Amino acid sequence: MPINMLFLCLLPLLLSACLAPKESGLFGRFPENYTDPEDGFTLWMPANMRSRFGINHAYMQELIDDCVSDRYRGYPYVWSGIDVYKQLDENTRLYAYYYYYNKNEPPKAEVLPFDRKLSDVRVRYITVINMTVDKEGLITGCKYWRFRR
């Protein structure tokens, strides 16, 4: 009898944990307006953001390098037709999209049990891109965030 009473007392707690609200942004894992608490980095990741396809790791790294070095600044934004945006002010839009891709990486363990051979492990990555675009359609800024899925 005491076990049944304990279960009945814990049942509402367990149900509330399962039904807890998820985040409002990407995959329900992140807030829509993400801010890193350590350095204040911000990124817009709405739930309705869509993925661009056809990417491999080398090409993605090239896109990230271009974003970081500001090489996109002043070039026309090429809208894919699926990118989402929000109007920041009358002159600026913020576009958001992401890529997902796999990369083969060596395993983290230094010593493998049972004399197994080292082989690459396939890791799935998501890279979110935010582009600010002026009213002429020119890119004025770029941000990205890459994480493991």
Side-chain angles (χ1 to χ4, degrees):
M1 184 72 172
I3 292 175
N4 290 340
M5 292 299 279
L6 179 64
F7 179 73
L8 285 174
C9 291
L10 291 176
L11 185 62
L13 193 63
L14 292 171
L15 287 175
S16 67
C18 293
L19 299 174
K22 295 184 177 187
E23 293 288 354
S24 61
L26 185 62
F27 308 128
R29 288 179 47 196
F30 302 99
E32 183 169 320
N33 296 303
Y34 173 80
T35 302
D36 187 304
E38 292 180 18
D39 62 8
F41 172 80
T42 60
L43 200 71
W44 182 53
M45 298 188 290
N48 64 336
M49 184 170 48
R50 295 201 177 142
S51 171
R52 290 186 174 186
F53 297 104
I55 229 41
N56 62 41
H57 173 71
Y59 182 72
M60 191 68 238
Q61 189 59 52
E62 197 175 300
L63 292 177
I64 289 171
D65 292 344
D66 289 345
C67 182
V68 170
S69 66
D70 248 359
R71 283 186 218 137
Y72 288 124
R73 188 179 296 272
Y75 283 94
Y77 180 74
V78 179
W79 186 60
S80 72
I82 62 169
D83 304 345
V84 294
Y85 71 89
K86 69 177 177 178
Q87 198 75 35
L88 297 179
D89 57 40
E90 68 261 1
N91 297 319
T92 309
R93 283 184 177 178
L94 177 62
Y95 285 87
Y97 54 92
Y98 68 94
Y99 290 101
Y100 61 89
Y101 58 96
N102 296 323
K103 180 184 178 198
N104 293 335
E105 296 181 350
K108 301 277 185 212
E110 297 288 302
V111 178
L112 295 175
F114 311 113
D115 294 328
R116 294 184 62 196
K117 293 181 181 177
L118 286 176
S119 60
D120 286 346
V121 175
R122 182 167 279 192
V123 178
R124 177 170 241 185
Y125 285 98
I126 303 284
T127 299
V128 177
I129 306 281
N130 278 186
M131 295 262 192
T132 50
V133 178
D134 66 15
K135 65 182 177 182
E136 285 81 32
L138 301 178
I139 297 169
T140 59
C142 177
K143 287 184 180 182
Y144 84 96
W145 187 34
R146 175 174 39 202
F147 58 92
R148 293 175 106 170
R149 172 93 165 137

